[in-house]
Amino acid sequence: MAGSAVKAVNLEKWFGEGEARTYAVRKVSLEAGFGKMLYIVGPSGSGKTTLLSMISGILRPDAGTVVVQDKEIWNLSPNDIADFRLHHIGFVFQDYHLFPRLTTAENVAIPLIIQKHDWQDAIHQAMEILDVVGLKDRAQLNPVKLSGGEQQRVAIARAIVARPDILIFDEPTASLDGITGKKIIGFVKENILNEHRCILIVTHDSRIFEYADQIIMLEDGAIVKTVEGGLLEK
Amino acid sequence: MTGILKIAFKLLVNDKAKFAALIVGITFAMFLMVQLTSIFAGILKKASANIINIGAKVWIMDPAVNNPLNSIPMPDYILDAVRSIDGVNYAVPLYSSASLVKLNNGVYQAVTVLGLDDTSLVGRPQLLEGKIEDIYGADAFIVVRDQEYAKLDNPTLGTTFELNDHRGVIVGIAQVTTSGLFGMPTLYTTYRRAIQYIPNQRFTTAYILVEPKSEQDIPTIKARVAALGYLGLTKEEFIQRISDYYKYQTGIGTNILIMTITSFLVGLSISGQTFYTFVLENLDKFGALKAIGAKNRELVYMILFQAFFTGCTGYGLGVGLSALLINIAVRKVPGYAGNITYFNLGLAFVMLLVIVFVSSYIAARKVIRVEPFEIFRG
C-alpha cells in the first residue's frame, strides 16, 4: 500500500475565549505515509499530545481537517469516529492503561472483544500476537506481575491485535530505561511497522530518534522544524 | 454473555475487596429490609390469628370492631336474624374474651378463651392429643400448643387450673396455623361453658360465624347484615381490616415503614458510594476503552451489568440470610413475629432496583463525561 495514511491540514486547537484564548496547536499541517514512522517531538507543553489526539480522532480540532485513509474523520458522527478508531487506529498509552484485574491475554484481546469477536476467538488471536511480542508464556499472568518493558509490549500487542492501519504511541519510552526503550522501538520498527501501517510517536526521548523516518518538532503549538530520517540534533 | 459484559464481570469480581464491600452493603440492606417487612407481616398475621385458625368464611360483628381484641358482643336476636337470611347455610355464635387463669403453682396467667358453638363446634382446632368429644365433659378445655403454651406451665391431659373460681381441666392439646400477637395462651371450650365461667356483659356473642350456601350468596348476606346495623366480612376482608388497623391506626406501620426506609437509605448510601468509588478507581480504564473505540452505550451496559449483578447477588444473600434467621427465630424465640411473603420479597426487589439504578446513574454520568483525551494527558 502506498500513499498518505494520515494527512492533517491547518489544524488548530485553542482553549478559552477572547483575550483568554490560548493556542495549544496552531496551523499545523503534516502528512505521514504507510510504512513510515513519524515522530512528533518537542518540549513539554508544546502541543504534541493535543496534536496526536486530534489526528487520532479523540479531540475535536477547532479548525483544520484530518484525513485518515481518504476519510475526513471529523465529519463523522461521534459513534462513527469511535468505530473508526476501533477498526483503524491502535493506541499505546504512556501509562499503558492495562487492566490489572484481567490476564495479559484478556488485556490484549480487548479491541477484538469491543469489535464483538467471540471471546475464545479473541483470546486465540491475542495469544498469537503475544507470541509475536515474545510474551506468550506470560499470557495468563496479570499485567501487574510483568516488568515495565513487558507491560509495554503487552500494550503494543493490544494496539496491534485488531490489525489497525495507524498506530499511535504516546511517550512509549517514558517509563523505561534507555536500553529497554531502544529495544522496544527497534522491535516495533522491525516487526510491527510494515507497508500497510503508519506509526505516529509522540516523544521527547532523543535516544530513540534514530528509528524515525520523519521527525516533526513542535514548539508552542507550531511546527518549527521537519526532518526526514532520524537525524534531528539531540 | 457478550464479551464486553464478560470484561465488566471480571473487572468487578476480580477486585475482591471492592466486590466484597459492595456485596456486604447490599446484603445488609436487603437483610434489614426483608427482616423488617417480614416482622411487620408476621405481626399482621399474628394479629389475625383467631380469624385464620377458626377459618369461617363470613364473620358478623359490630361495625366498631377493628381488631380481634376489641370484640363488641351482639344481642342474641342477631344470630336468629342471620340464620333467617336466604343464602345462609348455617350460622353459629363464637365467644371470644380474655381472662385470667390461676395455675397450680399459684401463678396467674392471662389467656384468650374461645367458646365454640356447643352443637357444631365450628372452628374447632386440630387435636394433637385427646378427643374432641371430651370438650363436652365437666370443666373441659382444650389448650393450644403454640409459642405461648409454656406460659401455662406446659399442661398435659388432665392438668387442672382455676378460671374465675371455676375448676378447669385440660382434655385436649391442639395445634393451630398461627399463634396470637399478644403473648397469651389460647383455650378452647364450649360457648355455653365460656359464658358460665367468665363474667360477662348483657350480650355474649362476640362474632357470628356464617357458612354461606355459595360464594354468590355472600354479597346478599353482607347487605342483609348491614341492614340490621351490623357488619359482615369475609375472612379475607376481616384480615385486611385488622391489617389496616395496625398499619394506619397504630404507630406500628409508621415505625416499621421508617425503619425500612432507613435500611433502604443505608443500603443506598453504602452501595452507591462503594460502587461510585469502584467506578472512579477504574475511570482511566473506562477512558482507555473509550479511546480504543468503545461507545458510551457499551460502557453504560457494563456499569449496569456490574450494578445489577452485585445487586442480585446481594439480594439473594440478604433474602437467604433473612429467611435463615427468621426460620431459626420462629422456632427458638417465643412470640417472634416473622413471615416472609411474596410482597416483602417484591418490595425489597423494587428497592434493590432503585439502589441499582441510582448507583449506576451516578457512576454512568461520570463515565460518560470522561474524555479519552484525559487518558492521553495522563
Side-chain angles (χ1 to χ4, degrees):
Chain A
M1 191 182 287
S4 170
V6 178
K7 188 174 181 183
V9 181
N10 289 330
L11 275 185
E12 287 196 324
K13 184 70 189 176
W14 59 76
F15 298 101
E17 287 301 332
E19 289 184 2
R21 178 181 287 187
T22 308
Y23 280 86
V25 172
R26 59 175 80 213
K27 294 210 177 296
V28 168
S29 298
L30 61 85
E31 189 167 356
F34 285 106
K36 301 291 183 191
M37 200 179 235
L38 174 75
Y39 282 32
I40 300 168
V41 304
S44 293
S46 59
K48 307 185 294 291
T49 300
T50 305
L51 175 61
L52 200 63
S53 301
M54 291 190 290
I55 290 170
S56 58
I58 278 180
L59 183 66
R60 183 173 287 279
D62 292 314
T65 57
V66 177
V67 177
V68 178
Q69 286 195 309
D70 302 325
K71 193 168 275 184
E72 196 171 329
I73 59 171
W74 288 109
N75 282 344
L76 301 173
S77 69
N79 276 349
D80 288 342
I81 291 180
D83 265 339
F84 189 82
R85 286 201 303 269
L86 182 60
H87 290 93
H88 296 281
I89 299 177
F91 293 92
V92 179
F93 305 108
Q94 181 175 341
D95 299 327
Y96 316 142
H97 290 296
L98 300 174
F99 290 72
R101 313 289 175 198
L102 302 180
T103 64
T104 296
E106 288 164 351
N107 265 284
V108 173
I110 282 175
L112 298 175
I113 290 166
I114 299 174
Q115 285 182 5
K116 299 188 170 53
H117 282 241
D118 171 69
W119 182 271
Q120 288 307 327
D121 174 52
I123 296 293
H124 179 71
Q125 290 193 47
M127 294 295 284
E128 286 177 359
I129 297 295
L130 279 171
D131 198 19
V132 171
V133 298
L135 288 174
K136 196 173 182 181
D137 58 333
R138 300 280 203 274
Q140 298 311 317
L141 294 179
N142 290 110
V144 286
K145 293 183 177 164
L146 305 179
S147 69
E150 287 173 330
Q151 289 187 29
Q152 177 70 288
R153 282 191 278 161
V154 173
I156 292 169
R158 182 176 68 184
I160 62 174
V161 73
R163 294 176 175 76
D165 315 304
I166 318 290
L167 271 182
I168 305 283
F169 284 67
D170 187 25
E171 300 285 4
T173 56
S175 312
L176 304 175
D177 62 82
I179 295 169
T180 310
K182 286 181 80 168
K183 260 190 187 171
I184 293 266
I185 300 302
F187 172 82
V188 168
K189 179 120 188 181
E190 280 177 28
N191 298 283
I192 309 298
L193 184 64
N194 56 43
E195 72 268 24
H196 303 293
R197 186 170 282 157
C198 166
I199 299 180
L200 303 181
I201 297 180
V202 157
T203 186
H204 56 256
D205 183 356
S206 57
R207 293 171 299 188
I208 59 169
F209 285 179
E210 63 191 87
Y211 298 103
D213 295 308
Q214 186 182 18
I215 299 178
I216 289 172
M217 187 169 185
L218 286 184
E219 266 184 32
D220 297 329
I223 295 176
V224 293
K225 191 183 275 185
T226 302
V227 177
E228 295 299 322
L231 300 175
L232 187 70
E233 293 163 17
K234 293 185 180 177
Chain B
M1 191 189 300
T2 66
I4 197 92
L5 298 187
K6 200 164 178 177
I7 290 176
F9 175 77
K10 284 174 174 258
L11 289 179
L12 177 70
V13 299
N14 289 351
D15 190 348
K16 291 184 176 62
K18 280 278 183 311
F19 184 54
L22 277 167
I23 292 291
V24 167
I26 298 270
T27 300
F28 182 61
M30 288 300 114
F31 169 74
L32 282 179
M33 277 186 250
V34 173
Q35 190 75 10
L36 290 170
T37 52
S38 298
I39 286 173
F40 190 44
I43 288 172
L44 296 183
K45 187 178 177 188
K46 278 173 166 279
S48 303
N50 287 342
I51 291 82
I52 295 168
N53 294 337
I54 289 170
K57 281 186 183 161
V58 177
W59 292 64
I60 310 297
M61 69 201 79
D62 189 281
V65 173
N66 49 23
N67 79 82
L69 271 188
N70 300 329
S71 58
I72 300 169
M74 297 174 284
D76 295 342
Y77 77 87
I78 297 298
L79 178 61
D80 298 329
V82 170
R83 282 174 170 161
S84 69
I85 296 172
D86 284 342
V88 170
N89 193 10
Y90 60 79
V92 296
L94 177 72
Y95 178 87
S96 173
S97 179
S99 189
L100 281 176
V101 296
K102 186 181 180 185
L103 306 179
N104 286 329
N105 60 11
V107 171
Y108 281 90
Q109 172 63 48
V111 294
T112 299
V113 178
L114 295 173
L116 304 175
D117 174 53
D118 291 61
T119 311
S120 63
L121 297 182
V122 166
R124 63 182 175 274
Q126 186 185 353
L127 288 184
L128 296 170
E129 294 178 36
K131 292 181 289 197
I132 191 65
E133 55 267 32
D134 289 343
I135 202 171
Y136 295 117
D139 310 325
F141 285 82
I142 292 170
V143 64
V144 173
R145 183 179 282 164
D146 59 7
Q147 290 160 355
E148 317 305 335
Y149 174 72
K151 292 178 180 172
L152 291 176
D153 214 13
N154 295 311
T156 55
L157 296 184
T159 299
T160 57
F161 56 87
E162 281 182 33
L163 175 60
N164 195 29
D165 290 336
H166 292 275
R167 175 179 176 271
V169 60
I170 300 297
V171 297
I173 296 174
Q175 66 174 9
V176 291
T177 308
T178 182
S179 56
L181 176 63
F182 298 101
M184 291 197 289
T186 304
L187 294 174
Y188 282 84
T189 189
T190 59
Y191 183 86
R192 194 178 302 276
R193 182 172 299 116
I195 61 175
Q196 280 174 352
Y197 279 31
I198 301 170
N200 284 298
Q201 304 168 36
R202 188 158 65 100
F203 305 130
T204 53
T205 305
Y207 302 99
I208 295 169
L209 310 180
V210 175
E211 177 66 22
K213 286 177 181 166
S214 72
E215 296 288 324
Q216 288 73 35
D217 292 318
I218 292 175
T220 310
I221 295 170
K222 286 164 67 175
R224 292 285 300 278
V225 168
L228 293 170
Y230 287 87
L231 182 64
L233 296 174
T234 61
K235 184 174 96 175
E236 292 73 24
E237 289 169 340
F238 194 14
I239 290 170
Q240 187 60 48
R241 185 178 175 87
I242 294 165
S243 170
D244 289 345
Y245 170 75
Y246 283 103
K247 277 185 209 164
Y248 306 120
Q249 295 183 49
T250 70
I252 298 174
T254 312
N255 286 298
I256 294 278
L257 180 67
I258 289 170
M259 285 192 283
T260 306
I261 290 172
T262 305
S263 59
F264 165 72
L265 292 175
V266 167
L268 180 62
S269 55
I270 292 175
S271 54
Q273 192 182 11
T274 313
F275 193 65
Y276 183 65
T277 310
F278 171 78
V279 169
L280 271 191
E281 285 180 4
N282 286 291
L283 204 55
D284 60 328
K285 307 296 182 296
F286 283 110
L289 287 176
K290 249 186 184 181
I292 290 169
K295 298 175 189 69
N296 278 335
R297 187 182 63 237
E298 290 165 330
L299 300 181
V300 170
Y301 286 160
M302 287 177 77
I303 288 170
L304 272 173
F305 175 78
Q306 288 173 330
F308 194 69
F309 178 80
T310 310
C312 285
T313 308
Y315 177 79
L317 290 174
V319 169
L321 187 62
S322 203
L324 179 70
L325 288 186
I326 286 174
N327 195 285
I328 292 170
V330 162
R331 282 184 284 162
K332 302 284 182 190
V333 182
Y336 181 81
N339 180 35
I340 298 180
T341 64
Y342 287 116
F343 178 78
N344 301 145
L345 297 178
L347 182 68
F349 192 72
V350 168
M351 288 181 163
L352 171 83
L353 289 181
V354 173
I355 290 174
V356 164
F357 283 111
V358 170
S359 304
S360 306
Y361 174 73
I362 295 167
R365 263 171 47 123
K366 195 76 186 170
V367 168
I368 287 171
R369 286 178 183 174
V370 71
E371 289 293 337
F373 177 55
E374 291 166 19
I375 304 304
F376 261 120
R377 283 198 299 196

